[in-house]
Amino acid sequence: MKTTIDSIMKKVKDKNPGEMEFHQAVHEVMCSVERALDDYPNLIYHKIADRMIEPERSIIFRVPWIDDQGEIQVNRGFRVEMNSALGPYKGGLRFHPSVNLSIIKFLAFEQVFKNALTGLNLGGGKGGSDFDPKGKSDLEIMKFCQSFMTELYRHIGENTDVPAGDIGVGAREIGYLFGQYKRIRNEFTGVLTGKGADWGGSFLRPEATGYGLVYFAANMLETKRDTLENKTCLVSGSGNVAQFTAEKLLEFGAKVISFSDSSGCIIDHDGFTIEKLAYVKELKNVFRGRIAEYKDRYPHAEYYRVNPKDTSNPLWNQEADCAFPCATQNEINEKDACHLLENGVLLVAEGANMPTSERGVEMFIENNILFAPGKAANAGGVAVSGLEMSQNGYRMRWPKKRVDEELHKIMKRIHTICRDYAKTYSSADNYVDGANIAGFLKTANAMTDQGYV
Ligand code: NDP
């Protein structure tokens, strides 16, 4: 079977040179899936893996826009429509200067398996731009979003491809993107999720990824007859996922002691309270400030600025029971993983996509801690996006309680599926193998049913 992985990885590397993040994501999935392939020889015959690593469509486009000084700026836009075996392509848009084809492809690839795990009819895709929203005026953001949608609208639609938010794309950007789509197509349809609550958005969509992550972590601890109560937790990032992860952790009686952004991290050993969290939300969502400013209001907190020479992040070198990386890919490297383990971490649940390096993941698994990969643990966001699509189809809005119950059920089901597949092909606590194998097989079976497409 090793020959299958070697041959797939050779193809991935030959066809996508230099796309390190994409290679990493494919390698991780293939290493898990090899454990199951003996039971499914038809998947090799049907060249399922070869097909899965090739996007159905990759769109790269120019996004010209005019800044507040009247100067023309040009960014690059992407949409990778990876796999539609299970439904319309679904996955967020990321606006961040680091965005390139490799990052969008790895995110789209991960999204395929994540969406399969939700049990909803959703294919996988992802998009974005190397546009940096930081420091831009509202008007500049609007002009950029309008230009971005002026090309993207040709490729998306409520039954074709339904984007949502991701890093740098929140309620404000979804609003501008939706407005432009409506204007060009003259139709009010559920073509984007994460819409405003008064115009087609679902209750709890903003909260869903963070809340779902905490529900998943609680399910994991339950298998050890343990709970989140009084657990000291590290949360990285300070955006959408981080904020609502912290909010739900506080509700579950945990103590959250950290947040971060791309400039540095803040540690508050007294723990964040609801009031302190409200300040973080205001700082990031209203003033669009830096997490360092937390210290202006709460001077006892420690702040560590990102030092490019540092090979580890001080955030992950704190004593804690649980860690929730909610910022970006590969934010936990081998050294960070080592620090977390030395400091006695017992659970790591990924809110971000692929935030742990491959070696970091191996170390968590070798040390038998509970480790939840993003494609399982952060699936609550896309799951509620799926529920938003259903509500839009019926022009209805479900009450908050109903959405939360559905989210609970979906996260519990994903947890059970991961464990079931892990028990069959690996070991019960190996959520990485469980998630990869379950997501792969579901997508593979649909691809087989649909012929050589
Ligand atoms: P936001 O833009 O709301 O927040 C992102 C946070 O991560 C910010 O604090 C940002 O800091 C920080 N960050 C971004 N890039 C870096 C970097 N290179 N180094 C350090 N910090 C960084 O995004 P979300 O909260 O929506 O997304 C966070 C993660 O969760 C991403 O990996 C995303 O793919 C994943 N995710 C999001 C879902 C959603 O529903 N939104 C669903 C599933 C996964 P700064 O302010 O400095 O940019």
Side-chain angles (χ1 to χ4, degrees):
M1 205 49 64
K2 186 160 183 321
T3 49
T4 309
I5 297 188
D6 288 348
S7 99
I8 288 290
M9 288 316 299
K10 180 166 180 348
K11 281 179 200 157
V12 170
K13 288 179 182 171
D14 286 351
K15 283 185 162 184
N16 310 278
E19 296 184 3
M20 306 305 285
E21 294 84 2
F22 184 46
H23 303 169
Q24 183 183 340
V26 173
H27 189 249
E28 189 211 276
V29 170
M30 288 311 300
C31 286
S32 295
V33 166
E34 67 157 333
R35 297 169 188 276
L37 278 184
D38 279 346
D39 284 357
Y40 297 89
N42 65 323
L43 299 186
I44 296 174
Y45 172 75
H46 289 299
K47 297 248 167 95
I48 291 291
D50 294 68
R51 286 195 269 153
M52 273 199 196
I53 56 171
E54 194 61 40
E56 288 179 18
R57 196 172 297 110
S58 297
I59 302 142
I60 302 182
F61 52 99
R62 179 171 65 200
V63 190
W65 56 282
I66 296 177
D67 68 17
D68 286 349
Q69 284 68 49
E71 232 179 89
I72 298 171
Q73 301 290 340
V74 181
N75 285 97
R76 184 171 283 182
F78 301 88
R79 186 71 184 166
V80 171
E81 298 179 334
M82 200 74 184
N83 196 306
S84 61
L86 293 174
Y89 309 105
K90 180 91 198 91
L93 297 171
R94 175 177 291 191
F95 291 169
H96 193 272
S98 64
V99 163
N100 56 36
L101 190 57
S102 171
I103 288 184
I104 298 298
K105 252 195 229 168
F106 112 69
L107 289 165
F109 186 75
E110 291 278 293
Q111 195 80 44
V112 173
F113 308 106
K114 181 190 310 195
N115 293 2
L117 289 172
T118 65
L120 304 173
N121 284 122
L122 302 170
K126 201 86 186 188
S129 173
D130 56 1
F131 172 74
D132 187 358
K134 269 193 221 92
K136 303 289 189 301
S137 69
D138 261 8
L139 190 62
E140 288 177 320
I141 300 279
M142 186 177 78
K143 286 195 279 193
F144 175 80
C145 289
Q146 290 178 341
S147 180
F148 186 84
M149 185 52 88
T150 300
E151 173 58 35
L152 188 70
Y153 88 94
R154 299 168 212 282
H155 312 287
I156 62 175
E158 61 174 340
N159 294 311
T160 312
D161 183 352
V162 185
D166 191 79
I167 291 178
V169 178
R172 171 180 62 166
E173 291 75 16
I174 292 290
Y176 295 148
L177 291 163
F178 183 80
Q180 185 71 351
Y181 181 86
K182 185 165 62 71
R183 190 174 173 206
I184 299 174
R185 298 295 288 252
N186 193 27
E187 60 179 40
F188 194 111
T189 50
V191 66
L192 291 160
T193 56
K195 296 183 289 297
D198 291 333
W199 45 275
S202 172
F203 277 122
L204 285 188
R205 175 58 191 90
E207 294 88 344
T209 308
Y211 282 14
L213 174 65
V214 177
Y215 296 157
F216 196 92
N219 284 325
M220 292 172 93
L221 286 168
E222 211 179 297
T223 66
K224 308 287 172 202
R225 297 180 202 289
D226 203 351
T227 69
L228 282 162
E229 200 169 349
N230 296 323
K231 295 283 185 298
T232 300
C233 299
L234 299 170
V235 174
S236 68
S238 50
N240 171 275
V241 180
Q243 291 172 16
F244 290 111
T245 296
E247 186 169 287
K248 193 50 87 177
L249 283 171
L250 295 187
E251 208 181 299
F252 277 29
K255 181 180 178 187
V256 176
I257 61 165
S258 69
F259 280 111
S260 67
D261 59 22
S262 48
S263 311
C265 67
I266 199 99
I267 312 290
D268 186 338
H269 288 289
D270 294 346
F272 286 84
T273 56
I274 297 285
E275 293 71 34
K276 291 176 181 176
L277 177 59
Y279 182 60
V280 171
K281 285 186 182 177
E282 190 184 25
L283 198 59
K284 297 305 281 188
N285 308 348
V286 181
F287 301 116
R288 301 193 185 271
R290 310 306 298 153
I291 200 66
E293 293 165 54
Y294 179 83
K295 233 176 130 51
D296 299 345
R297 171 94 48 110
Y298 300 102
H300 66 275
E302 294 163 18
Y303 178 69
Y304 299 92
R305 180 175 298 284
V306 167
N307 177 354
K309 286 192 194 135
D310 261 0
T311 50
S312 67
N313 182 344
L315 189 151
W316 305 123
N317 199 1
Q318 309 294 323
E319 247 173 66
D321 305 301
C322 305
F324 296 87
C326 297
T328 194
Q329 64 275 355
N330 290 324
E331 57 171 309
I332 297 183
N333 62 23
E334 183 176 345
K335 216 165 166 186
D336 297 320
C338 198
H339 288 153
L340 282 164
L341 290 166
E342 279 166 8
N343 284 313
V345 79
L346 52 92
L347 176 148
V348 177
E350 296 185 331
N353 286 309
M354 209 171 74
T356 314
S357 69
E358 265 195 291
R359 182 63 199 129
V361 173
E362 280 168 9
M363 286 167 70
F364 292 146
I365 291 173
E366 282 160 14
N367 282 274
N368 293 317
I369 66 153
L370 291 170
F371 175 73
K375 63 172 77 67
N378 71 31
V382 74
V384 173
S385 275
L387 303 181
E388 184 171 322
M389 288 161 70
S390 302
Q391 295 169 71
N392 291 166
Y394 288 101
R395 299 253 189 272
M396 278 172 58
R397 188 149 167 236
W398 299 347
K400 201 180 252 181
K401 187 164 172 287
R402 175 165 176 197
V403 181
D404 198 32
E405 281 166 7
E406 292 290 336
L407 176 61
H408 257 289
K409 269 194 261 172
I410 291 171
M411 296 316 293
K412 198 168 181 74
R413 197 169 59 221
I414 296 175
H415 179 263
T416 306
I417 291 170
C418 289
R419 286 189 73 81
D420 286 351
Y421 277 86
K423 257 185 238 160
T424 308
Y425 293 109
S426 183
S427 61
D429 284 340
N430 193 327
Y431 291 83
V432 174
D433 284 343
N436 286 335
I437 296 169
F440 183 92
L441 289 180
K442 181 151 189 213
T443 312
N445 289 332
M447 288 171 75
T448 309
D449 290 347
Q450 291 169 26
Y452 302 150
V453 289

